[in-house]
Amino acid sequence: MTEAEFLPLFDRYRSMVYGLALSYTRSPQDAEDICQEVFLTLLEKPPAPGKERPWLAKVTVNRCRDLLASPWKKRREEDDTALERLSFQEPEEAGLFAALGELEPEYRALLHLRYYEGFSAAELARQFGTTAPALSARLYRAKRQLRKKLEELGYEEAVSKNL
Amino acid sequence: MKKLYQKTFEQALAQTYAPPEQVEAQRSALASRCSQPKSEVTAMTAKPRRPIRILITAAVVAAALTAGALAASGVLSRITFHTGATIEYGVNEDGTEYSTVSGTSLDESYPVEVRNDRAWFTTETGEELDITGQFSETEPYVYSYVDEGGLTHDIVVGGTLESFGLFEYLYDEGGGYTASTGYLPPESPAYPAWRAAYEAEHGIPAPSGGEPVEQDSSSGLIWLDPQLAVEDGKVLLTVGGETTDITGRFSESEAYVRTDEGVDGSTHVILVGGTATEPHTAEFVVEADGTWTCSTDAPEDSAWLTSYIEANLSR
């Protein structure tokens, strides 16, 4: 891959890769590491032109899974509290962020790709090798779990307004 | 939901995203590698292992790849399982064949989910079937369908409501077994009775030696996770913090072999094979009774790997 091909992709998708990795791992440092790995993989084995966005999303999720499953993963102590120091404008935003932290990583990734990155259910189904109805069912379960966590944390209003 | 999520995450990103100078430094460093030869890019990339799943691929597939004319490089075929995994078979630029598994399902036990003490199976059309009571530790539940490409998928579920596993078997249009992938809970043996029952009924051969599987670390196995790096023409192997130059000590037909003790006292055999620019590792954990499990990033038909297994680990 030439520099002329690579740099626009880096500029356009770095924040997507980082954001997805952050939502999955809940660790800014791990998300940065994943970012580096993903773009190195892009250099080594680029996808077909025009397929970069879903490809990057899929590779990012795969790398996150590998990282969290690795027995040699060392959690840096500061990352345990890094996200606790974040501040939000509205209480329900803080509640949502906390509730997301209680979900399974795969559900977090799914919600992030759907509601932040704007992937359609059909696109996500193609990416992850399943059917759109099955993907929709999974999304439904993710939202249901999120609702439950928000209620447990005392954010019933956020639930009633948004879920 | 979307608006709240976007507002929330934008604030999280703004507070955690790397500063511009750090992003620019990364951008420049990556861009400088765009013109590097492939081997040097490889040196800077940690060799990823396959996704953590139990995996068996049929030997017949590897045999099929070596037969016939493989005139051009590239992907020969890609099979997507209902569980979400994908097996891709292809040919590298240097003519060597590869198979990789990737893209495991977002939900590890998909398409089975236990809710309110009922087991639900999601079909390829998205329909949910209540399969509670239809499988056990000795008798599997089998769901079968034919995909658009004519492949038959048998999804086999067995175990208990609290601890179940599932395997998906693919058959070609002639009914020939093609490949399989599956998931077993950490406490399960590699061949539970329900799985053995299904495979015996369908004539799927058991492996001749031990079973080359990759297992989730939650199974209790603690891998040494050897790392390879190719730098300035040298091949460096790092195990447990110790780095060894193994340049010239392996090939595509013969592995470099070393034995280490795991943190739990188990015996780990680490192999390296392949080419000097594209080496691969395999790590075996060998039990006292001779059974073994393997984790590797090598293509299934790697001669150095299969010859080692046949010579040292067959029953």
Side-chain angles (χ1 to χ4, degrees), chain B residues 233-251:
Chain B
K234 291 183 188 174
V235 180
L236 305 174
L237 172 68
T238 300
V239 181
E242 175 196 330
T243 300
T244 308
D245 183 347
I246 60 169
T247 312
R249 297 168 70 179
F250 62 92
S251 68

Side-chain angles (χ1 to χ4, degrees), chain B residues 4 7 11 81 102 110 125 129 134 147 157 178 199 215 217 231 234 240 253 310:
Chain B
L4 175 62
K7 276 186 64 183
Q11 293 173 72
F81 291 80
S102 63
Y110 180 84
T125 61
L129 307 175
Q134 297 186 49
D147 68 21
V157 185
T178 301
E199 294 194 0
Q215 284 193 318
S217 59
E231 294 173 12
K234 291 183 188 174
S253 58
E310 284 165 10

Side-chain angles (χ1 to χ4, degrees), chain A residues 1 11 14 18 32 36 40 65 69 72 87-89 93 106 112 115-116 130-131 134 138 141 146, chain B residues 5-11 15-18 26-27 33-34 104 106 110 113 124 217 223 225:
Chain A
M1 181 173 263
D11 295 338
R14 191 199 189 273
Y18 173 83
E32 286 292 342
Q36 175 75 0
L40 279 173
R65 284 195 196 116
W72 296 104
S87 59
F88 297 90
Q89 290 173 357
E93 291 160 358
E106 298 287 349
H112 186 83
Y115 294 114
Y116 193 81
T130 185
T131 62
R138 225 178 293 170
R141 290 197 291 273
L146 179 62
Chain B
Y5 190 101
Q6 287 181 339
K7 276 186 64 183
T8 302
F9 214 84
E10 271 163 14
Q11 293 173 72
Q15 295 173 70
T16 63
Y17 201 70
Q26 182 189 43
R27 187 179 187 271
R33 294 171 186 180
C34 286
T104 55
L106 291 175
Y110 180 84
E113 186 192 14
E124 76 285 8
S217 59
W223 300 94
D225 202 21

Side-chain angles (χ1 to χ4, degrees), chain B:
Chain B
M1 170 67 181
K2 184 175 176 179
K3 196 172 171 185
L4 175 62
Y5 190 101
Q6 287 181 339
K7 276 186 64 183
T8 302
F9 214 84
E10 271 163 14
Q11 293 173 72
L13 276 182
Q15 295 173 70
T16 63
Y17 201 70
E21 56 273 16
Q22 186 177 326
V23 173
E24 183 52 41
Q26 182 189 43
R27 187 179 187 271
S28 300
L30 286 167
S32 71
R33 294 171 186 180
C34 286
S35 57
Q36 297 277 352
K38 187 173 182 297
S39 60
E40 290 181 32
V41 172
T42 302
M44 301 162 196
T45 306
K47 277 286 182 192
R49 290 196 177 273
R50 294 189 195 133
I52 308 296
R53 292 289 292 238
I54 301 284
L55 167 71
I56 313 290
T57 55
V60 66
V61 178
L65 279 178
T66 60
L70 300 175
S73 299
V75 176
L76 295 178
S77 67
R78 187 179 290 118
I79 300 173
T80 300
F81 291 80
H82 179 57
T83 57
T86 305
I87 292 183
E88 178 180 293
Y89 305 100
V91 179
N92 294 311
E93 287 177 3
D94 61 3
T96 56
E97 295 137 14
Y98 71 89
S99 63
T100 60
V101 177
S102 63
T104 55
S105 66
L106 291 175
D107 192 339
E108 194 169 45
S109 65
Y110 180 84
V112 177
E113 186 192 14
V114 173
R115 304 195 304 266
N116 301 322
D117 297 324
R118 311 292 299 180
W120 295 91
F121 180 95
T122 303
T123 71
E124 76 285 8
T125 61
E127 183 187 359
E128 282 198 319
L129 307 175
D130 186 344
I131 62 170
T132 312
Q134 297 186 49
F135 60 91
S136 70
E137 289 174 302
T138 54
E139 292 291 328
Y141 167 83
V142 183
Y143 177 85
S144 190
Y145 72 97
V146 180
D147 68 21
E148 292 169 355
L151 290 178
T152 297
H153 298 242
D154 270 9
I155 301 156
V156 181
V157 185
T160 65
L161 209 58
E162 295 75 30
S163 179
F164 65 87
L166 65 89
F167 268 80
E168 182 171 353
Y169 299 83
L170 297 186
Y171 303 89
D172 60 27
E173 290 181 357
Y177 169 55
T178 301
S180 66
T181 183
Y183 159 82
L184 290 171
E187 64 277 13
S188 168
Y191 258 85
W194 57 267
R195 183 185 168 194
Y198 173 86
E199 294 194 0
E201 185 181 338
H202 289 77
I204 293 171
S208 58
E211 182 173 69
V213 299
E214 294 179 1
Q215 284 193 318
D216 192 310
S217 59
S218 60
S219 66
L221 288 175
I222 301 175
W223 300 94
L224 294 178
D225 202 21
Q227 298 294 315
L228 282 174
V230 178
E231 294 173 12
D232 300 324
K234 291 183 188 174
V235 180
L236 305 174
L237 172 68
T238 300
V239 181
E242 175 196 330
T243 300
T244 308
D245 183 347
I246 60 169
T247 312
R249 297 168 70 179
F250 62 92
S251 68
E252 290 179 278
S253 58
E254 193 168 344
Y256 162 84
V257 182
R258 62 178 276 168
T259 303
D260 290 87
E261 186 177 340
V263 295
D264 54 355
S266 56
T267 300
H268 291 240
V269 179
I270 292 168
L271 280 65
V272 177
T275 65
T277 53
E278 191 84 16
H280 296 279
T281 62
E283 180 179 354
F284 292 83
V285 176
V286 186
E287 305 293 345
D289 62 358
T291 58
W292 51 270
T293 54
C294 172
S295 176
T296 181
D297 62 357
E300 287 287 341
D301 56 349
S302 297
W304 57 271
L305 182 56
T306 52
S307 63
Y308 180 84
I309 293 172
E310 284 165 10
N312 297 281
L313 298 173
S314 295
R315 289 187 189 137

